[in-house]
Amino acid sequence: PAPDGDEIISTGAGLILPGGKVDPEAIQRAIEQSESGEDDAELRRVSFSLRRDLKSRLDRYLTTRIAFMSRNQLQKLIDGGGVTVNGRQPKASTVLRAGDVVEVVVPAPSTGVIRAEEIEIDVLFEDEHLIVLNKRPDIIVHPARSENSGTLVNALAWHFKHRSSMGGALSAVGNEFARPGVVHRLDRHTSGCIVFAKSEEAHWKLGHQFEHRRVDKRYLAVVQGHIEPLVDVIEAPIGPHPSREKGYREKYVVRHDELGKPSVTIARVRERYRLNDRVVGDQDFTLVELELKTGRTHQIRVHLSHTGYPIVGDDMYGGRAFVDRTGHSVIARQALHAAMLGFTHPITGQPMCFTSPMRGDMGELISALRAGDRVESMETPGATVEIRI
């Protein structure tokens, strides 16, 4: 018997630690010991038979049993069919009662081992302490959930072994979460400048700069509409979307309650465009430079959408694809680019600043807009990014 009055039955021997928690090492051993070609799901299946009403949501209960998975990860496991209650697929919000049998096919825990993969990367700077990349769109920064390969972390593991004249490896900080060397992140579909740490000292010192807002991060975005005024300070607290249903859990919103965290973005207009009858839908667009004073998840996307100017192609936050009259979609992602990253070198103390021109689809989009009926270029106070395509 385990705490909370539930009896534990496991079809895989030795998967449960005293006290009722799933043993991540036992799960890993079960996977490693499975025969080639065998479906190891049965070896990772555990059952919890409840002997009293817990009056607890399913996802909350499982966090007490599978401690190496976050609640968000468990919610995704539930949505993906990895959990049943009484033989049926439940919701994360299902309240557990006496007599319920909860079965879980426990995923493999992160081992911290990153597989090196030959993936092309654009290195802007590298020394023995850190590496700065110009991230291309459609690549995630580090392994997460089912995305265990094809990430920048996988690419960097290859780079250090086979291409780098400096050698080394990513900092071990974050290894337990498969995030070695990751100081900050960019969304999957956001391109531009990103820095990784190669030593633990560099990692902690860079992280301190990000935490205390001593980093100059500038983004460029193409938004729908004619933005006024030239400079706008957007102060609106950001928190998770109130709905935890599938399709909303990844979203963030402006919310003025205890879950909303202070968030500040400075938006500076750089260029305005008007296309008369040359595109489907919107005719007015603005190229805006964005300076982050805080670093909330999806901050730029939420703030711009909240003010009525969603980013082109950002369908999660109300943006529409840029489609010309011929039906050609110029950009198939959110038109957001990390154009400049400035920080103090964590070891030498020297100021460093890196820029990334808008090439590829962002460059094509700007070129298409500049070929329109009206283009206005602004000398906006406080703007620092050079517009290069």
Side-chain angles (χ1 to χ4, degrees), residues 209 214-217 340-344 352-354:
Q209 290 184 51
R214 296 173 184 163
V215 176
D216 190 2
K217 293 183 288 184
M340 189 188 81
L341 179 62
F343 55 87
T344 300
M352 310 192 79
C353 186
F354 301 94

Side-chain angles (χ1 to χ4, degrees), residues 82-96:
V83 180
T84 62
V85 174
N86 304 325
R88 298 179 179 177
Q89 183 170 350
K91 294 183 178 180
S93 59
T94 297
V95 177
L96 298 176

Side-chain angles (χ1 to χ4, degrees), residues 275-337:
L275 285 73
N276 295 326
D277 300 323
R278 297 194 184 199
V279 293
V280 177
D282 301 281
Q283 295 182 325
D284 289 305
F285 299 87
T286 305
L287 175 65
V288 58
E289 178 179 322
L290 301 133
E291 179 183 357
L292 294 183
K293 292 300 184 181
T294 53
R296 310 302 178 199
T297 301
H298 295 182
Q299 177 174 320
I300 290 172
R301 300 164 66 188
V302 173
H303 273 174
L304 288 174
S305 177
H306 178 71
T307 55
Y309 303 103
I311 298 174
V312 169
D314 189 4
D315 55 359
M316 179 178 283
Y317 292 103
R320 291 183 290 275
F322 183 89
V323 180
D324 63 23
R325 287 296 181 186
T326 68
H328 174 61
S329 179
V330 175
I331 187 168
R333 58 160 176 124
Q334 65 217 27
L336 180 61
H337 180 70

Side-chain angles (χ1 to χ4, degrees), residues 78-329:
I78 294 166
D79 288 343
V83 180
T84 62
V85 174
N86 304 325
R88 298 179 179 177
Q89 183 170 350
K91 294 183 178 180
S93 59
T94 297
V95 177
L96 298 176
R97 305 294 186 188
D100 286 346
V101 176
V102 181
E103 289 195 339
V104 186
V105 177
V106 183
S110 172
T111 63
V113 176
I114 302 297
R115 184 170 68 252
E117 297 181 47
E118 189 175 5
I119 300 170
E120 195 68 33
I121 55 176
D122 182 3
V123 179
L124 299 177
F125 174 84
E126 181 182 2
D127 65 12
E128 61 185 306
H129 306 290
L130 56 88
I131 184 169
V132 181
L133 303 182
N134 179 18
K135 176 186 175 295
R136 62 175 173 79
D138 196 30
I139 185 170
I140 64 174
V141 172
H142 60 76
R145 300 186 294 274
S146 60
E147 303 278 358
N148 293 317
S149 63
T151 74
L152 284 181
V153 167
N154 297 111
L156 285 168
W158 178 279
H159 170 79
F160 296 135
K161 289 181 180 179
H162 301 283
R163 292 198 187 103
S164 173
S165 61
M166 306 297 299
L170 288 172
S171 157
V173 178
N175 249 351
E176 66 273 29
F177 303 111
R179 301 177 187 177
V182 176
V183 180
H184 68 124
R185 289 176 287 178
L186 296 176
D187 290 343
R188 178 177 199 147
H189 298 295
T190 300
S191 54
C193 299
I194 184 170
V195 60
F196 293 82
K198 294 176 65 176
S199 68
E200 292 197 18
E201 182 182 3
H203 197 135
W204 294 122
K205 288 183 176 180
L206 279 171
H208 190 265
Q209 290 184 51
F210 276 87
E211 180 183 357
H212 292 277
R213 313 304 168 202
R214 296 173 184 163
V215 176
D216 190 2
K217 293 183 288 184
R218 302 291 179 110
Y219 293 74
L220 291 172
V222 177
V223 305
Q224 297 165 192
H226 182 97
I227 288 187
E228 295 280 1
L230 287 184
V231 181
D232 189 18
V233 179
I234 307 170
E235 291 190 71
I238 293 176
H241 195 285
S243 172
R244 305 314 292 161
E245 295 296 322
K246 189 174 183 180
Y248 290 91
R249 289 187 194 140
E250 301 289 339
K251 292 188 68 173
Y252 288 79
V253 294
V254 170
R255 54 189 304 171
H256 300 275
D257 59 12
E258 68 279 1
L259 294 181
K261 296 182 179 180
S263 308
V264 181
T265 305
I266 302 176
R268 296 179 172 94
V269 173
R270 300 299 307 274
E271 294 182 354
R272 293 197 189 105
Y273 317 97
R274 182 162 182 84
L275 285 73
N276 295 326
D277 300 323
R278 297 194 184 199
V279 293
V280 177
D282 301 281
Q283 295 182 325
D284 289 305
F285 299 87
T286 305
L287 175 65
V288 58
E289 178 179 322
L290 301 133
E291 179 183 357
L292 294 183
K293 292 300 184 181
T294 53
R296 310 302 178 199
T297 301
H298 295 182
Q299 177 174 320
I300 290 172
R301 300 164 66 188
V302 173
H303 273 174
L304 288 174
S305 177
H306 178 71
T307 55
Y309 303 103
I311 298 174
V312 169
D314 189 4
D315 55 359
M316 179 178 283
Y317 292 103
R320 291 183 290 275
F322 183 89
V323 180
D324 63 23
R325 287 296 181 186
T326 68
H328 174 61
S329 179

